Amino acid sequence: MSKYILRRLLLLIPVIIGVTFLVFTIMYFTPGDPAKLILGESAQPAQVEALREEMGLNDPFIVQYFRFITKAITGDFGRSYSTNRPVFDEVFSRFPATLKLTAAAMLIAIAIGIPVGIISATKQYSALDSISMIGALIGVSMPVFWLGLMLILVFSVNLRLLPSSGSETLKHLILPAFSLGVGSAAIITRMTRSSMLEVIRQDYIRTARSKGVAEKKVVNRHALKNALIPVVTVVGLQFGGLLGGAVLTESVFSWPGVGRLMVDAIRQKDSPMVLASVVFISVTFSFVNLLVDLLYAFIDPRIKSQYR
């Protein structure tokens, strides 16, 4: 098992290099001059040119990229062009807010998706099944930002029950978490239903029923456990997707997380901030996937035995 973990950790290296190269290339060719951003519009051309030379912005693209990678390996992602603070410190200070929002959205998605998927599978072709699948289709089709705006309109503007922005209390978390989690809940519902339908048609399930085992025990102990592997995969992927999807949700609800920080940095062409944010989210996503792979071993002992 340790060899498997080590191999997965080594695979993170090319992934991170690929992500940084792609984002660095996009930011490099995006119009805008960081030197002008720092000095302001009233700066003289000579001052701008001197600062570009000092920052190494006149060097070839590949030289700038390798200089960034070399510093990033030591944890130095540079300073923000707009605030002049170390970007890693700023991203790290915003990450708890993003993680809190993503975890809350994931809990909502799991709390809705798995029970509804189980009920839908055990009541296949019933009215309940049809309503569940229509709801899942609507949930997966709605854009996150549109749902967020509708929730603000209903619960904040008209009913005045929940705040539309901020992060001070638990009430501030409800709307953004629900907005972010609905799409994932729909996907988990569909996957749980599909996986459960496949499992409950197996011979050992029919055998358990023929022995008189209670239906609740058959579903929870025999069927659900074996249907969980594809569901866990989807949950892991959705968690990473929610980290990225939080960019829109944080902007709509003014949530002070990494996503909103990244949007502001893109508007200001603050390349170090954008790169540090993307790398942070990519590494977190990769580690979540690694944890999901490790969970397989605990759910299915056959997988664990392959790595002994």
Side-chain angles (χ1 to χ4, degrees):
M1 200 68 184
S2 58
K3 288 181 180 177
Y4 174 71
I5 296 173
L6 181 61
R7 190 173 61 185
R8 289 300 308 270
L9 289 174
L10 290 175
L11 283 174
L12 286 181
I13 297 173
V15 171
I16 299 302
I17 291 175
V19 169
T20 55
F21 183 78
L22 186 63
V23 178
F24 191 91
T25 304
I26 292 172
M27 294 304 296
Y28 181 84
F29 289 106
T30 303
D33 189 343
K36 283 185 180 177
L37 173 70
I38 296 171
L39 294 174
E41 293 298 326
S42 59
Q44 298 297 319
Q47 292 176 303
V48 174
E49 187 58 30
L51 185 58
R52 285 185 60 83
E53 192 64 33
E54 182 184 336
M55 295 172 66
L57 297 175
N58 291 329
D59 293 337
F61 165 78
I62 200 70
V63 173
Q64 292 188 42
Y65 176 69
F66 275 105
R67 184 165 55 229
F68 164 75
I69 283 291
T70 306
K71 289 184 177 179
I73 291 173
T74 62
D76 180 11
F77 286 86
R79 289 180 173 272
S80 167
Y81 292 158
S82 55
T83 65
N84 199 32
R85 290 183 58 198
V87 292
F88 187 81
D89 293 348
E90 290 212 31
V91 172
F92 196 73
S93 66
R94 295 286 194 100
F95 185 66
T98 297
L99 189 62
K100 180 181 174 185
L101 175 60
T102 304
M106 199 72 251
L107 283 175
I108 290 172
I110 292 172
I112 295 173
I114 291 181
V116 173
I118 294 171
I119 293 169
S120 184
T122 53
K123 307 287 184 186
Q124 191 183 15
Y125 302 134
S126 66
L128 203 57
D129 181 29
S130 301
I131 293 170
S132 302
M133 287 302 97
I134 291 171
L137 187 61
I138 293 172
V140 82
S141 305
M142 282 190 297
V144 173
F145 68 91
W146 181 84
L147 178 60
L149 292 174
M150 292 301 104
L151 290 174
I152 289 174
L153 192 63
V154 174
F155 293 99
S156 300
V157 177
N158 292 329
L159 300 179
R160 299 182 182 277
L161 291 175
L162 296 168
S164 62
S165 62
S167 62
E168 291 79 16
T169 64
L170 189 61
K171 289 177 74 175
H172 290 88
L173 182 62
I174 295 174
L175 289 185
F178 188 78
S179 172
L180 190 61
V182 163
S184 297
I187 294 171
I188 292 171
T189 298
R190 293 169 69 88
M191 177 53 70
T192 304
R193 179 183 183 272
S194 171
S195 184
M196 282 292 290
L197 283 175
E198 187 177 336
V199 171
I200 59 179
R201 290 169 181 157
Q202 299 292 321
D203 290 339
Y204 67 91
I205 297 294
R206 280 194 288 270
T207 302
R209 282 173 173 158
S210 67
K211 287 182 175 178
V213 178
E215 184 64 20
K216 188 176 179 182
K217 194 174 180 181
V218 171
V219 171
N220 292 335
R221 181 171 294 182
H222 298 283
L224 180 59
K225 189 174 181 182
N226 290 294
L228 271 181
I229 289 183
V231 178
V232 168
T233 305
V234 169
V235 168
L237 291 174
Q238 286 301 308
F239 190 87
L242 292 181
L243 280 174
V247 171
L248 290 175
T249 309
E250 288 178 4
S251 299
V252 171
F253 291 96
S254 299
W255 188 265
V258 177
R260 188 178 163 202
L261 180 71
M262 190 158 53
V263 171
D264 293 340
I266 291 171
R267 286 177 184 156
Q268 298 168 347
K269 199 176 173 11
D270 195 345
S271 301
M273 189 70 78
V274 176
L275 283 163
S277 303
V278 172
V279 168
F280 207 88
I281 290 176
S282 302
V283 171
T284 307
F285 187 22
S286 301
F287 274 103
V288 168
N289 278 333
L290 177 62
L291 286 175
V292 169
D293 288 347
L294 295 179
L295 270 177
Y296 290 163
F298 293 97
I299 296 171
D300 190 347
R302 293 172 298 180
I303 296 175
K304 190 175 183 179
S305 65
Q306 294 175 7
Y307 299 102
R308 284 178 177 170

